[in-house]
Amino acid sequence: MQRLHNKVAIVTGAAGGMGASIAHLFAEQGALVLATDIQFEKMNTWVQESRKHSLAIECIRHDVGSESDWKSVVEKALHLYAKIDILINNAGVYQPMETTEATSLERWNQILQINLTSAFLGAKAVLPHLKKSGKGAIVNISSIAGIVGGNGAAYSASKAAMRLLTKDQAIEFAPFHIRVNSIHPGGVMTPMVEPLLPADPAALEGMMKNMCPLGRIGEAIEIAYGALYLASDESSYVTGAELVIDGGLTAR
């Protein structure tokens, strides 16, 4: 049985990594997907390939920090599919270990705009349509950096704020049967993270064994399966929750 049969999902940051994995998995599970990213050509390449396999995925260029772009995304989803059931706020930038002293105000504002304000704008844009669907779900992709410190001032602040935005909206949206949850990945192999990791596989393995009880880096599909659960009706009594997917890193 397809777990998202006939559900309409918007997935941001879907040019690659976790966003692409989430969008592809959702389509495999019966969702009608609108993938969005500012890197349109990169995203469109895999979307068109997926469509050859009869997956219902469309895509649109999207600056998640732009309120007018959010309006265009919602209009596109309604034009294609006539409703919206699910929003996955995945788009983000990763700038680890950037200290307060080294962070300019411009950089601070940029990171918060992309990582946090985008989730606020997205929820606001889709809310009227999730109300109509009657069983709406929003999943915010935060980070373990939103739970523990040491990951850079602006990045950690943005992900921690997304964690609390999730809880506040879970309470606010509950009367409309809209659930809001967050996922907190640890180390995951994505195009954004890969350049920061040791190139030598043995060095990477050693690093992860020291950091993570499961002793390896995560895969994007492992985050996608968490998003699938939180977006599906299987989690109908789950809202305001934080799903940590980090191989046990924060359990120490």
Side-chain angles (χ1 to χ4, degrees):
M1 183 181 70
Q2 292 183 314
R3 296 162 69 184
L4 295 179
H5 178 67
N6 205 38
K7 299 277 191 182
V8 175
I10 296 171
V11 182
T12 71
M18 292 185 292
S21 289
I22 292 168
H24 193 274
L25 178 63
F26 279 24
E28 287 182 328
Q29 290 295 322
L32 310 172
V33 177
L34 180 58
T36 89
D37 203 292
I38 201 165
Q39 301 178 79
F40 178 79
E41 294 303 328
K42 180 180 178 183
M43 173 176 59
N44 191 48
T45 298
W46 78 258
V47 166
Q48 294 308 317
E49 188 62 32
S50 297
R51 286 171 56 79
K52 293 177 184 177
H53 300 281
S54 301
L55 294 181
I57 306 176
E58 298 282 351
C59 61
I60 184 173
R61 186 190 181 281
H62 182 198
D63 174 359
V64 291
S66 164
E67 191 167 18
S68 61
D69 270 23
W70 271 109
K71 182 179 178 181
S72 297
V73 167
V74 167
E75 288 174 350
K76 177 80 168 180
L78 295 175
H79 174 73
L80 289 170
Y81 306 128
K83 64 171 184 168
I84 300 170
D85 301 292
I86 299 162
L87 170 63
I88 309 297
N89 282 312
N90 169 74
V93 290
Y94 181 48
Q95 190 67 35
M97 315 310 173
E98 198 167 62
T99 65
T100 298
E101 189 174 24
T103 303
S104 68
L105 179 58
E106 180 182 17
R107 181 64 175 161
W108 170 273
N109 288 337
Q110 179 192 36
I111 291 173
L112 266 67
Q113 181 78 3
I114 296 171
N115 289 2
L116 174 62
T117 303
S118 63
F120 164 75
L121 292 174
K124 193 168 184 177
V126 302
L127 181 58
H129 310 286
L130 295 184
K131 286 180 179 180
K132 290 178 184 177
S133 292
K135 283 187 178 180
I138 298 174
V139 181
N140 292 324
I141 309 299
S142 180
S143 167
I144 59 169
I147 299 173
V148 296
N151 292 279
Y155 183 74
S156 293
S158 69
K159 292 303 186 178
M162 181 182 254
R163 176 189 179 206
L164 266 294
L165 176 67
T166 297
K167 293 181 183 299
D168 195 85
Q169 289 180 343
I171 296 167
E172 181 185 345
F173 299 169
F176 310 113
H177 308 290
I178 298 166
R179 299 179 298 102
V180 191
N181 295 288
S182 59
I183 293 179
H184 299 260
V188 178
M189 185 65 80
T190 67
M192 193 161 55
V193 171
E194 191 170 1
L196 305 171
L197 298 172
D200 177 22
L204 174 60
E205 182 180 2
M207 181 184 79
M208 293 310 299
K209 282 183 176 178
N210 287 331
M211 290 176 58
C212 169
L214 288 184
R216 64 173 178 84
I217 196 163
E219 300 293 334
I221 189 64
E222 294 175 301
I223 309 305
Y225 275 114
L228 174 62
Y229 168 68
L230 291 175
S232 75
D233 291 340
E234 296 164 14
S235 59
S236 58
Y237 198 54
V238 180
T239 196
E242 31 189 90
L243 176 57
V244 177
I245 308 177
D246 70 347
L249 195 153
T250 55
R252 291 191 187 277

